[in-house]
Amino acid sequence: METNFGSSKPIRSTRSPKFAPGPAAEPLYQEALQRLARAPVPPYLARAQLVYGEWLRRHNRRLDARRELRAAHDTLSRIGAGAFAERARRELTATGETVRRLTVETRDVLTPQEAQVARLAQKGHTNQQIGAELFISPRTVEYHLHKVFTKLGIGSRKELRAALADAEHAAAAV
């Protein structure tokens, strides 16, 4: 690994997938995703998934690209990064996938991840148990539950059962 004038820190630009030719970029993208998956900063992970998904699509790996682009689109839509979410949606469309646009009518509909977290919380699981089951951090579980509570207009886990039933009826009508 090249270092920065004797420092143990790597020179970022030479390790960037952007500067690596062709297939040599892929392990760098994967390393970046692994590192960002351990960090509590979903926007950075989503941006990395978006860029990697774009790279995969440009290398004619549509199915691999879809996985990264779906994850990026979901996160970017959820956190309100509209321009990046739209970019991910366009890339997904280019792979042949159809993507639901976030509209006024659908903004209060739970994402699949939010619905899954809500169902587990409703069953009495702790944030730590939910995180372990879904392979996400307890902090990410807390984030999803906050979004669920806001979308459903509730303030506690006790209100989840009735609110989820109402939300399922509303989602079926959309």
Side-chain angles (χ1 to χ4, degrees):
M1 173 192 303
E2 261 186 76
T3 59
N4 189 7
F5 302 106
S7 167
S8 63
K9 294 182 179 179
I11 298 173
R12 299 264 183 241
S13 63
T14 60
R15 299 229 349 115
S16 169
K18 186 175 176 180
F19 297 107
E26 186 158 21
L28 298 175
Y29 279 118
Q30 291 171 342
E31 179 186 353
L33 291 172
Q34 288 171 356
R35 288 175 183 239
L36 289 168
R38 293 189 302 258
V41 284
Y44 293 139
L45 175 59
R47 278 279 288 125
Q49 289 168 321
L50 171 59
V51 174
Y52 182 40
E54 290 171 334
W55 183 87
L56 287 166
R57 189 181 72 74
R58 283 166 182 72
H59 284 82
N60 298 316
R61 293 176 52 195
R62 290 183 342 184
L63 296 178
D64 293 331
R66 284 180 186 168
R67 182 184 62 244
E68 300 300 329
L69 292 168
R70 266 189 227 113
H73 181 264
D74 289 347
T75 300
L76 294 165
S77 294
R78 187 181 68 242
I79 65 173
F84 285 122
E86 177 60 20
R87 182 169 145 189
R89 189 196 66 75
R90 281 192 312 267
E91 286 289 327
L92 271 167
T93 301
T95 69
E97 179 114 340
T98 54
V99 184
R100 160 185 93 135
R101 281 185 191 248
L102 190 62
T103 65
V104 173
E105 293 82 28
T106 62
R107 76 168 176 228
D108 290 334
V109 175
L110 298 180
T111 65
Q113 184 86 351
E114 290 166 349
Q116 199 171 19
V117 167
R119 281 192 295 275
L120 291 171
Q122 172 193 341
K123 291 178 182 176
H125 291 65
T126 66
N127 288 3
Q128 205 149 13
Q129 291 168 328
I130 295 168
E133 187 165 328
L134 301 179
F135 301 103
I136 57 178
S137 73
R139 185 160 165 78
T140 302
V141 171
E142 182 181 322
Y143 173 82
H144 286 304
L145 283 174
H146 174 75
K147 298 293 281 186
V148 167
F149 288 3
T150 301
K151 287 180 178 183
L152 299 179
I154 61 174
S156 73
R157 290 176 184 237
K158 291 178 183 178
E159 301 171 76
L160 272 174
R161 184 176 308 270
L164 283 176
D166 292 344
E168 288 173 6
H169 294 294
V174 173

